Amino acid sequence: MVKAYHDLYELGYLKKGKVVEVDVSEEIEVKLMTRPEYEKFNLGLRHTYYGGLVKRVPYYIEVPFEGEFVLVIDTSINSLLGSEVESYVEVIDKEDL
């Protein structure tokens, strides 16, 4: 089994329509997901997430439904390349964009 390298942000309970703002220091994959989907991700199984490859910052992900969410910053590739990614995550109201 391959070790997954990632940073995890516990976002807690979020309402639909909130926005997760992500700022990262390099191009990287970010994934907003529920706890059950995160468990699948950790096991290397197929999982559902919202987000994708961040090429420009800030990057915004709208919360698709109410529930408990985590945000994963997938640093697997960056770890292999020996680079470290700095990140900042904040939950904001859509009206604040």
Side-chain angles (χ1 to χ4, degrees), residues 10-22:
E10 299 275 357
L11 301 178
Y13 186 85
L14 300 177
K15 291 187 175 186
K16 179 180 179 175
K18 287 285 192 177
V19 174
V20 179
E21 179 181 344
V22 182

Side-chain angles (χ1 to χ4, degrees), residues 22-40:
V22 182
D23 196 346
V24 289
S25 58
E26 8 185 316
E27 197 171 285
I28 199 159
E29 185 93 17
V30 297
K31 300 179 176 190
L32 177 68
M33 61 185 95
T34 62
R35 173 63 60 184
E37 294 302 320
Y38 173 68
E39 297 305 328
K40 291 178 189 175

